[in-house]
Amino acid sequence: MIADTHLLGPFRGHWFDKLRREWQMWRSFQTSLTLLSPDVVFFLGDIFDEGQWSNKEGFERYVSRFDELFKVNKNIERHVVVGNHDIGFHDYINPQRILWFSQTYPNSSLVGVVEIKNETFVLVNSMAMHGDYCQLCHKAEIEIERIGNEINNSAKQSNKNGKKKFLVRQKQPTVLMHFPLYRNNDMNCEGGDELNDIEIRKKEIFREKWECLSKDATKFIIDKLNPKVVFSGHTHYGCEVKHGNITEYTVASFSWRNNPMPSFLLAVYEEGKVSCDFKASKNTDVQLWEIDKSFASDVEMTTNTDYDGNFYIDKIIQDYFSSDLELVIKIFHQCNIKDTNLCYKVVEIPVPTTFFEYNESDDETYTPRAYNLGTIELDTNHPLQGISCSHLLGSTINRYIDFGSKFFT
């Protein structure tokens, strides 16, 4: 994540300052790509400093310089969120500049959606979040509602038989935008310690729709999209802040002209990864079990880790007798077992009820969340690890063994 590069134009700054800052950003960016090899690079707005004043010719020169400085190879995606210095604040936006920008950088005009490796990223135009019923804001709000409904409908399926439903996994998007969500100031921020006048700046009051989104726009985005995390820019200084159970990261400016300690943010997405000796454990059996204390437990879903050790579970479970129901993820492995023809080790990970319990009566207030397991290293004395010598017999035999154990143990 890179924010606020502010490439200078013909009106501001000395030519040597411009040359120096751009060389610094180019060198830092290309070195970072070489060392980190990211899948995608997101720019969080204000890539230009004088875009709001540029004519068509000036805009094209800006694009050429940006592409030269922040060039990526064919294996890396690059996406741009629009900022106020790119096209202007809400009241000063020229429709032509929106058109130029969106044609050059797709998904940047109002609200864009990018899918990368099972992750959904929603790119929001902050200047279209004023909520004043202008054409720009109205279209953006409709698009956010549509995206939110698609995400919710993918999880909330019809309940035909009046059974209780359990949602194991709900895809939550990552929201990217230029303005931060509403906050009074930076007093409650983690990070931002690069400020020389940190105590003074932290006490500065943010103006809604100028330094941050309004309270109403913030509530609208959170309610409609239910993001897992939010990334923003605009303030030029780093900040980590909580909005309920949602974390927002405001990324510091990448330019030395705006920040004495410019930086970027590297985000790593892992929704369940299995490793052995800290190397990806591929083709490892992963099962979702419905544990019933009174009746036989069921294997609700079986999957395998991919080449990189990743897995995810997306399953709806319906059950009449749900008062004592538990869900457990079981990982069957032979990490560092000498005789692999015998038993398997099994790691059992209970799924907290807050991540899957859902009643139809809660339809209006229920907010599904993803249960992120992170990386599970198998070559450890896991506190919930046991032995399974019946794993190869199949899930049906295992059900009978589990059912019988309730009476003979």
Side-chain angles (χ1 to χ4, degrees):
M1 306 289 175
I2 294 178
D4 297 277
T5 55
H6 281 270
L7 300 184
L8 292 174
F11 304 110
R12 290 179 172 178
H14 191 272
W15 68 267
F16 182 73
D17 182 52
K18 173 182 172 182
L19 177 66
R20 181 165 64 116
R21 302 309 183 193
E22 291 185 0
W23 180 86
Q24 290 168 334
M25 288 190 288
W26 170 77
R27 185 66 271 167
S28 300
F29 180 75
Q30 296 302 330
T31 301
S32 300
L33 290 186
T34 301
L35 294 176
L36 300 174
S37 300
D39 295 306
V40 59
V41 179
F42 289 103
F43 288 83
L44 301 177
D46 280 3
I47 60 174
F48 309 143
D49 189 64
E50 302 170 17
Q52 73 271 36
W53 302 320
S54 297
N55 56 22
K56 180 64 172 175
E57 183 181 353
F59 177 80
E60 290 175 350
R61 285 198 298 268
Y62 253 141
V63 171
S64 178
R65 282 170 50 212
F66 180 80
D67 289 344
E68 181 180 354
L69 294 173
F70 301 106
K71 183 179 180 180
V72 297
N73 62 43
K74 62 181 181 180
N75 298 321
I76 300 175
E77 295 187 36
R78 188 186 70 179
H79 299 279
V80 177
V81 178
V82 67
N84 55 286
H85 275 267
D86 300 317
I87 61 173
F89 278 103
H90 174 272
D91 294 340
Y92 303 97
I93 293 177
N94 186 313
Q96 281 294 318
R97 293 193 179 95
I98 294 181
L99 180 63
W100 299 339
F101 205 89
S102 61
Q103 287 178 340
T104 306
Y105 305 110
N107 300 309
S108 67
S109 60
L110 293 176
V111 184
V113 177
V114 177
E115 296 278 351
I116 301 174
K117 291 188 174 181
N118 293 320
E119 291 292 338
T120 301
F121 298 87
V122 180
L123 286 60
V124 178
N125 182 333
S126 301
M127 289 71 71
M129 290 288 104
H130 273 225
D132 61 355
Y133 303 105
C134 71
Q135 186 178 20
L136 187 74
C137 297
H138 182 62
K139 288 182 178 179
E141 290 174 0
I142 290 176
E143 187 64 11
I144 287 177
E145 286 193 3
R146 183 190 67 80
I147 294 169
N149 288 335
E150 284 187 1
I151 293 172
N152 289 332
N153 290 338
S154 68
K156 294 183 179 180
Q157 298 184 6
S158 61
N159 188 354
K160 297 180 180 179
N161 300 318
K163 302 176 183 179
K164 193 172 183 179
K165 294 189 292 187
F166 297 87
L167 277 69
V168 177
R169 182 180 183 273
Q170 161 68 20
K171 179 177 286 188
Q172 292 175 281
T174 294
V175 171
L176 309 173
M177 55 190 180
H178 184 59
F179 285 11
L181 297 174
Y182 174 79
R183 59 179 185 257
N184 281 327
N185 49 34
D186 283 346
M187 284 295 291
N188 296 320
C189 284
E190 295 288 337
D193 297 335
E194 68 273 16
L195 293 169
N196 294 326
D197 54 350
I198 185 170
E199 294 303 323
I200 297 175
R201 278 196 59 92
K202 279 193 171 184
K203 294 177 182 177
E204 291 182 356
I205 302 300
F206 285 0
R207 298 169 296 171
E208 295 184 42
K209 305 178 183 180
W210 290 91
E211 282 82 37
C212 63
L213 293 186
S214 67
K215 292 180 182 178
D216 291 340
T218 297
K219 185 177 185 302
F220 178 77
I221 289 175
I222 291 176
D223 289 348
K224 297 300 180 182
L225 296 177
N226 182 31
K228 67 169 64 174
V229 64
V230 176
F231 295 101
S232 59
H234 191 50
T235 68
H236 296 177
Y237 294 94
C239 174
E240 177 185 346
V241 65
K242 287 282 190 179
H243 303 271
N245 62 349
I246 297 171
T247 302
E248 177 185 11
Y249 296 93
T250 299
V251 182
S253 173
F254 195 59
S255 172
W256 272 266
R257 195 169 187 267
N258 301 324
N259 189 318
M261 295 179 64
S263 59
F264 62 89
L265 188 147
L266 176 66
V268 179
Y269 284 75
E270 294 180 344
E271 290 194 342
K273 183 172 183 177
V274 179
S275 64
C276 177
D277 287 334
F278 301 99
K279 297 178 182 178
S281 179
K282 59 183 179 181
N283 204 33
T284 300
D285 291 341
V286 181
Q287 296 180 353
L288 176 68
W289 279 67
E290 174 193 335
I291 307 298
D292 199 309
K293 297 177 182 178
S294 303
F295 299 91
S297 300
D298 290 316
V299 180
E300 294 292 342
M301 181 176 176
T302 299
T303 187
N304 298 95
T305 57
D306 62 17
Y307 184 82
D308 296 317
N310 298 312
F311 73 93
Y312 76 90
I313 292 174
D314 192 351
K315 180 71 176 178
I316 289 182
I317 301 171
Q318 296 182 328
D319 197 284
Y320 287 109
F321 306 99
S322 55
S323 59
D324 58 354
L325 182 68
E326 296 178 5
L327 294 180
V328 172
I329 295 172
K330 295 186 179 184
I331 302 173
F332 297 87
H333 69 93
Q334 293 183 320
C335 177
N336 291 335
I337 295 180
K338 294 181 179 179
D339 190 350
T340 58
N341 293 320
L342 298 177
C343 299
Y344 279 66
K345 290 183 179 180
V346 54
V347 176
E348 298 189 9
I349 304 173
V351 180
T353 57
T354 54
F355 286 93
F356 67 81
E357 190 167 16
Y358 167 71
N359 284 301
E360 189 176 17
S361 59
D362 300 329
D363 190 69
E364 296 299 323
T365 59
Y366 176 71
T367 303
R369 293 185 294 153
Y371 185 32
N372 191 337
L373 293 176
T375 300
I376 302 165
E377 170 55 42
L378 299 177
D379 187 30
T380 59
N381 293 322
H382 198 284
L384 298 177
Q385 183 165 256
I387 298 292
S388 173
C389 295
S390 60
H391 175 58
L392 294 177
L393 299 178
S395 58
T396 302
I397 299 297
N398 274 287
R399 285 188 62 210
Y400 286 117
I401 293 174
D402 176 80
F403 183 64
S405 67
K406 292 180 169 62
F407 298 95
F408 298 105
T409 58

